[in-house]
Amino acid sequence: MLTAIVGINWGDEGKGRMVDLLSSDYDIICRYQGGNNAGHTVVNEKGKFILNLLPSGILRDTTVNVIGNGVVVDIEHLTNEIKMLTDRGIKITPENLKISDKAIICLPYHKMQDIMEEERLADKKFGSTRRGIGPVYSDKYMKKGVRMEDLFTPDKLHEHLSDLVEWKNITVTGYGHKPVDAEEIFAWLMKYGEVVKPYVTDVSKYLNDAVAGGKNIMFEAQLGALRDIDFGIYPYTSSSYTLAAFGPIGAGIPGAKLTNTIGIMKAYSTCVGEGPFTCEMFGDEAEALRKAGNEYGAATGRPRRVGPFDIPASRYGVRVQGADCIALTKLDVLSGMEKIPVCVAYDVDGTITTDFPTGERLNRAKPVVKYVDGFGDVSHCRKYEELPENAKKYVKMLEEAVGAHIKYISVGAGREEYIEVK
Ligand code: GDP
Ligand code: MG
């Protein structure tokens, strides 16, 4: 079984939480895109963890975790993340963590470039997490990247790095910054390279053998459909493919076919950073929802923008992900609301539509909001039958609107706080 578990919305849908729950059925969990700009929160019997680079399966003793070729890896950050977890008693060894030899390393100058660019843009900024992700992906496609496998040939790497740094300094000095020192970068690579090298391996071969051996593999996405580089709200997107279809490629088994895709969809909307967010709510109503959902970024601590469930955006998310079923998260957060707003359509230049537009049409879209009846507390529910009638109605409405079966309903952050819809 090859399963992708992906975000339907703008990210922070609770992917980490659902991977942690569902990973018990899988032998291998792969991260296939993005970098340490991810923030996946997992709460289980071992405590509360925020993971940036490591797959959420690292918290289970039985799963092997893979960082695939599609991921960009800040090895200093990874070193710290490994240390943070091992200090808390999580066992991390080359047996349960494998990093692709083809993964690109996110270098200190990528982070620097990210910060310089956001500062140059001032009030026009994209809302980058400033972790170098955009610049390192750009360099990857310019064929100016350093790969994990390069750590094993330090002499060659040293030579290559002086060319890279010379090229990078054209940009760096253009920003009015002092040039980058190749020796410093090399020393950084050697220092953190020593820590990560034991985990670096031919992941593609490992995964191909695993598929042949009938292993169950899960692909864990970072961010959501609407942040996909091509199909998201460009240019306010991430720099990689967040979609399920990219899972096998970014993990290392491009020829493999997905068995199924589970879309993680939130019972309301949140969005971190800049960009069009048609359903956005403001004022007291927004503040109350933000508080109830504790909507502050896991990676950055930034307050998240919030809004009601957005039918056009989520329907589109389900479509581009090709989701076979849905895990609806954070239904409990709506518990306190007497009337629940839902964005049922967009008004684009006077035309009412449930199709999700892009570009300028998206910028001009206005939400069409309708209110449905609230349903009181659902946090204690563990069976579908236990849900109040109005909660069932809400779930059914979303299901019909997005055109995919809601198989799981999460009503709390803890591992067992969910309902499986039979
Ligand atoms: P991810 O990036 O998609 O993994 O999601 P985040 O971890 O950034 O954000 C989801 C937040 O909601 C985390 O703090 C989770 O612990 C929390 N969470 C997940 N599912 C639920 C739920 O059903 N109810 C509540 N109240 N919190 C949840
Ligand atoms: Mg997150």
Side-chain angles (χ1 to χ4, degrees):
M1 192 163 59
L2 270 62
T3 302
I5 184 154
V6 293
I8 294 299
N9 311 116
W10 294 263
D12 303 320
E13 298 92 346
K15 292 176 294 296
R17 180 253 185 283
M18 288 312 297
V19 172
D20 177 64
L21 171 68
L22 300 174
S23 56
S24 63
D25 295 334
Y26 294 83
D27 305 297
I28 304 167
I29 313 292
C30 310
R31 272 283 307 270
Y32 62 87
Q33 48 82 221
N36 61 316
N37 51 340
H40 296 174
T41 315
V42 178
V43 184
N44 58 29
E45 81 284 355
K46 290 176 181 158
K48 177 174 174 174
F49 299 89
I50 294 175
L51 302 171
N52 302 130
L53 270 167
L54 291 166
S56 306
I58 200 78
L59 302 170
R60 283 207 186 261
D61 304 329
T62 50
T63 48
V64 176
N65 296 273
V66 162
I67 295 179
N69 51 274
V71 182
V72 289
V73 187
D74 175 339
I75 54 178
E76 179 177 353
H77 192 97
L78 181 61
T79 299
N80 293 335
E81 201 168 317
I82 290 173
K83 182 168 185 310
M84 180 269 290
L85 289 178
T86 43
D87 284 353
R88 290 179 64 185
I90 308 294
K91 195 176 76 169
I92 302 180
T93 67
E95 269 60 57
N96 74 349
L97 175 64
K98 301 189 187 290
I99 305 172
S100 172
D101 49 1
K102 297 170 191 61
I104 296 277
I105 299 176
C106 183
L107 297 165
Y109 60 63
H110 293 124
K111 214 151 84 179
M112 195 172 112
Q113 194 180 337
D114 213 348
I115 294 168
M116 291 187 302
E117 178 59 10
E118 282 280 295
E119 274 162 14
R120 188 187 70 83
L121 287 170
D123 57 345
K124 287 184 292 183
K125 60 182 180 286
F126 286 101
S128 158
T129 48
R130 303 179 170 217
R131 303 220 164 157
I133 310 300
V136 68
Y137 272 113
S138 309
D139 283 8
K140 169 175 174 168
Y141 291 104
M142 288 281 281
K143 280 87 73 186
K144 304 270 191 202
V146 173
R147 307 217 297 188
M148 286 290 177
E149 61 190 0
D150 298 332
L151 294 170
F152 295 89
T153 48
D155 294 345
K156 272 269 181 238
L157 175 57
H158 190 260
E159 218 180 289
H160 181 45
L161 200 61
S162 46
D163 288 343
L164 285 182
V165 166
E166 196 184 313
W167 170 76
K168 185 55 68 178
N169 277 334
I170 301 171
T171 306
V172 170
T173 54
Y175 279 106
H177 203 278
K178 80 172 178 19
V180 173
D181 177 20
E183 293 311 320
E184 261 174 44
I185 305 286
F186 184 70
W188 181 91
L189 277 164
M190 290 300 104
K191 178 176 174 191
Y192 297 107
E194 260 340 285
V195 181
V196 303
K197 261 161 65 180
Y199 307 102
V200 176
T201 184
D202 185 348
V203 158
S204 185
K205 179 169 173 13
Y206 169 75
L207 288 179
N208 270 288
D209 292 349
V211 172
K215 298 274 189 215
N216 289 334
I217 303 175
M218 181 184 273
F219 304 94
E220 176 185 12
Q222 179 219 341
L223 295 165
L226 300 169
R227 299 292 189 187
D228 182 80
I229 181 78
D230 283 350
F231 294 91
I233 52 171
Y234 190 84
Y236 300 97
T237 56
S238 198
S239 306
S240 59
Y241 292 102
T242 64
L243 300 182
F246 188 73
I249 299 178
I253 32 175
K257 299 207 174 23
L258 289 174
T259 317
N260 62 330
T261 297
I262 304 173
I264 314 299
M265 185 170 93
K266 209 156 166 166
Y268 54 94
S269 303
T270 61
C271 170
V272 173
E274 317 298 319
F277 184 42
T278 310
C279 65
E280 185 163 15
M281 297 195 310
F282 302 93
D284 293 347
E285 205 183 7
E287 196 44 42
L289 181 56
R290 186 176 298 117
K291 272 224 183 77
N294 190 26
E295 296 297 348
Y296 303 90
T300 58
R302 291 185 287 186
R304 293 171 180 158
R305 298 159 75 191
V306 299
F309 186 82
D310 184 323
I311 288 180
S314 305
R315 216 163 75 89
Y316 176 79
V318 167
R319 185 186 102 201
V320 293
Q321 292 289 19
D324 302 290
C325 73
I326 298 290
L328 183 69
T329 57
K330 305 193 91 162
L331 189 66
D332 57 301
V333 172
L334 302 179
S335 289
M337 295 171 112
E338 231 167 87
K339 289 277 177 192
I340 302 173
V342 181
C343 174
V344 292
Y346 289 177
D347 177 339
V348 186
D349 305 327
T351 305
I352 307 296
T353 178
T354 52
D355 286 336
F356 188 71
T358 57
E360 270 311 308
R361 292 184 63 240
L362 178 60
N363 289 335
R364 289 201 303 271
K366 304 264 180 304
V368 179
V369 176
K370 132 181 168 190
Y371 282 80
V372 299
D373 291 333
F375 42 72
D377 189 20
V378 295
S379 59
H380 59 279
C381 300
R382 296 291 174 272
K383 288 202 178 85
Y384 187 74
E385 299 72 52
E386 291 168 15
L387 284 175
E389 276 316 306
N390 283 343
K392 285 185 197 159
K393 269 194 202 157
Y394 187 76
V395 171
K396 276 276 162 250
M397 177 187 63
L398 303 195
E399 195 163 54
E400 274 163 30
V402 303
H405 171 53
I406 294 176
K407 190 170 176 204
Y408 305 95
I409 302 170
S410 173
V411 293
R415 191 181 266 174
E416 302 305 329
E417 294 173 315
Y418 75 102
I419 294 167
E420 184 168 352
V421 185
K422 294 281 184 315

